[in-house]
Amino acid sequence: MKSAPSHSAAPLTTLHRLWRRLRGRLAHHVDHAAVIDNVADEGGLSPRFAFMAVMSCGIAILGLLQSSAAVVIGAMLISPLMGPIVQLGFSLCVVDFRMMGRALLALLAGVLLALATAMCIVWLSPLREATSEILARTQPTLFDLLVAILSGLAGGYAVITRKGEAIVGVAIATALMPPMAVVAFGLATGDLGIAGGAFFLFMTNLLAIALSVTLIAKWYGFGVDNSPTHSAWQAIVIASTFMLLALPLGLALRNIGEQTWTANQTRAVVQKYLQARGGSIEQISVERRGQGYAVDLVAMVPAYIGNAQLELGARLAARLPKAPALRVRQTLEASDDGRRDRADLDGLRLRVNALSEQTRQLRAEADAWTLEHIRTLLGDITADVMLDGLQKRIVVTLPPTTTGADAALDPGAVAALRGRLGAATPGWTIVVAGMAAPAPAIAQPANEVDGIAGKATLPHAASP
């Protein structure tokens, strides 16, 4: 005799029956053959698919280079990659390797066409900087996986129930083509970090959507004729893929959350420190460096704060789990008093420059007048005169006579000349000297007047 089911198993049996009845009712209203035919038609490689892949990726990379969200959304709307991805999910559900091969061929062709198109545009474009739209697709997290799963479920439901309008929303949510355009940007510019992060995001979306479509297709009765081996194989593939994707994406999400918390705590500490001293944050960045963080701060302060870097470093070390590498730069504020002081200094500098120019002109005029005055005092005496206006020094060099230098330096004549020049130029130092007599072997022309480089020579008639 069979034993009666226990009271604890009765609710489970009832729920199982309700579950099967609900699935049966949903599957009863679906034309499975028509859905499979539609999926096969929409997901294969065709000229239309290739053309739309090129157009979509071209629009996507142009929007990314311009950091235009509107243009990027336009690329999402016309992206044809949704068709082969849905086909891949259905082929996994019904275990149709022929359909799977067609889907993979279309995906491979679409990816290669997209990469080639986007890389050519990047090479021809003068814009090579990674914009915010590009960087936003280089760090996938667990949230991206969840979005892709939900989008795949919605996409599979839209295909099965023939509600094609929902594909537009799914295409926007999953953003299949923009990540591929970012991969092309990274390859074209040689930045493998950007290319690798964007490719991981693309593969996350692709696999999550395909496997989510497989799950929703199983729910609606597709693949009910599969053998237990096929069903077990499907479950293993789906579970292991989601786990392999979830682990690194979960770690990435944790790292982003930790960095956000560190940035918020750092900003709070710095802002409190600067506010107490009348300053403010002009710019601050917190970036991960290895196992720690690096903080770069630009502070706006009314006056220079001594030891600001040491004091902030100590406060951050007390607040954060690990002391960050800190760099502090201070910028003085432009107060009204400071602007007035700078204006006064600028005016004073202009006046000093004007006075210096006037002094230079007056000194040049005075030197010219002094030279002319000395020439008048010398009368018929031929001599070289050198003026030093800064030292107020006059050097008069008398030439040698035909009988030698000693005849030109008669003490009485020199003293009389010195006295005459000193009386005419009070405050100046007067020096009267004689030139050395020329060598006897060198004949000098009768009309030649000797001079010394750098000295002013005043020619006059020979003294009697």
Side-chain angles (χ1 to χ4, degrees):
M1 294 179 61
K2 293 182 179 181
S3 59
S6 62
H7 294 289
S8 60
L12 296 177
T13 304
T14 303
L15 290 175
H16 182 67
R17 289 177 181 176
L18 292 175
W19 180 268
R20 293 185 59 183
R21 184 178 300 177
L22 178 60
R23 286 189 58 192
R25 182 173 297 179
L26 292 173
H28 179 72
H29 295 287
V30 175
D31 188 346
H32 293 74
V35 171
I36 292 294
D37 292 340
N38 180 62
V39 169
D41 292 338
E42 295 293 331
L45 179 60
S46 64
R48 175 187 175 277
F49 174 84
F51 177 78
M52 295 302 290
V54 171
M55 295 299 103
S56 175
C57 194
I59 295 173
I61 191 62
L62 290 174
L64 292 169
L65 291 174
Q66 301 176 81
S67 192
S68 174
V71 178
V72 175
I73 291 174
M76 298 178 194
L77 294 175
I78 65 173
S79 173
L81 296 180
M82 197 69 181
I85 292 177
V86 170
Q87 188 180 85
L88 179 61
F90 270 89
S91 67
L92 290 173
C93 179
V94 299
V95 194
D96 188 338
F97 293 104
R98 187 174 181 180
M99 181 188 293
M100 185 183 300
R102 291 197 300 268
L104 292 175
L105 178 61
L107 284 173
L108 180 61
V111 167
L112 293 179
L113 286 172
L115 286 176
T117 302
M119 290 177 69
C120 288
I121 292 176
V122 173
W123 284 331
L124 296 175
S125 171
L127 303 177
R128 298 290 184 87
E129 295 297 326
T131 62
S132 58
E133 289 288 336
I134 292 176
L135 296 177
R137 291 167 174 84
T138 58
Q139 294 182 335
T141 65
L142 187 61
F143 287 161
D144 295 295
L145 176 61
L146 296 177
V147 170
I149 292 174
L150 297 177
S151 301
L153 294 175
Y157 172 81
V159 171
I160 293 171
T161 59
R162 313 299 291 272
K163 306 291 184 181
E165 294 81 1
I167 294 294
V168 173
V170 174
I172 295 175
T174 54
L176 293 169
M177 191 56 75
M180 184 52 55
V182 175
V183 174
F185 174 86
L187 294 176
T189 57
D191 194 329
L192 298 183
I194 289 179
F199 184 74
F200 188 31
L201 175 60
F202 174 79
M203 291 303 300
T204 298
N205 289 336
L206 190 154
L207 295 176
I209 294 172
L211 296 179
S212 299
V213 170
T214 301
L215 292 176
I216 199 70
K218 292 285 288 184
W219 170 257
Y220 275 91
F222 289 88
V224 292
D225 298 331
N226 294 342
S227 65
T229 302
H230 287 157
S231 298
W233 172 76
Q234 289 172 343
I236 292 173
V237 169
I238 293 173
S240 59
T241 301
F242 282 145
M243 287 296 296
L244 290 176
L245 291 175
L247 287 176
L249 293 174
L251 292 176
L253 180 61
R254 187 197 67 178
N255 292 337
I256 291 177
E258 179 184 327
Q259 183 172 350
T260 303
W261 180 86
T262 302
N264 292 336
Q265 295 297 316
T266 301
R267 177 175 286 274
V269 170
V270 172
Q271 190 169 3
K272 182 178 179 181
Y273 176 82
L274 293 177
Q275 284 180 349
R277 291 156 180 80
S280 61
I281 298 175
E282 183 176 0
Q283 183 179 349
I284 186 172
S285 66
V286 180
E287 298 180 355
R288 181 180 289 275
R289 298 281 178 83
Q291 299 299 322
Y293 290 91
V295 178
D296 192 352
L297 169 66
V298 179
M300 184 72 72
V301 294
Y304 179 76
I305 304 174
N307 297 326
Q309 183 158 319
L310 294 176
E311 294 176 359
L312 278 173
R315 296 192 180 199
L316 290 175
R319 175 71 67 90
L320 302 177
K322 185 177 180 180
L326 178 63
R327 181 189 180 192
V328 178
R329 289 171 288 174
Q330 302 182 41
T331 302
L332 297 181
E333 295 178 349
S335 61
D336 294 338
D337 294 338
R339 283 193 291 269
R340 285 194 296 269
D341 292 342
R342 281 193 294 272
D344 294 341
L345 288 175
D346 292 339
L348 181 60
R349 187 179 297 109
L350 291 175
R351 289 193 293 272
V352 169
N353 292 336
L355 290 175
S356 298
E357 180 64 20
Q358 291 178 2
T359 302
R360 187 189 65 78
Q361 293 178 357
L362 291 174
R363 182 178 293 119
E365 295 174 357
D367 291 346
W369 178 85
T370 304
L371 276 173
E372 185 66 22
H373 190 46
I374 292 174
R375 188 179 67 177
T376 303
L377 294 175
L378 288 175
D380 294 335
I381 301 175
T382 301
D384 288 341
V385 180
M386 184 178 69
L387 292 179
D388 186 352
L390 294 178
Q391 301 294 330
K392 302 190 72 174
R393 179 183 177 89
I394 301 174
V395 179
V396 178
T397 304
L398 300 174
T401 64
T402 56
T403 59
D406 294 337
L409 294 177
D410 178 66
V414 170
L417 178 61
R418 185 182 296 112
R420 188 165 64 249
L421 295 178
T425 55
W428 287 68
T429 301
I430 309 299
V431 177
V432 179
M435 291 183 182
I442 301 177
Q444 297 290 340
N447 59 350
E448 182 176 343
V449 180
D450 293 335
I452 299 177
K455 298 180 180 179
T457 301
L458 302 177
H460 296 284
S463 58

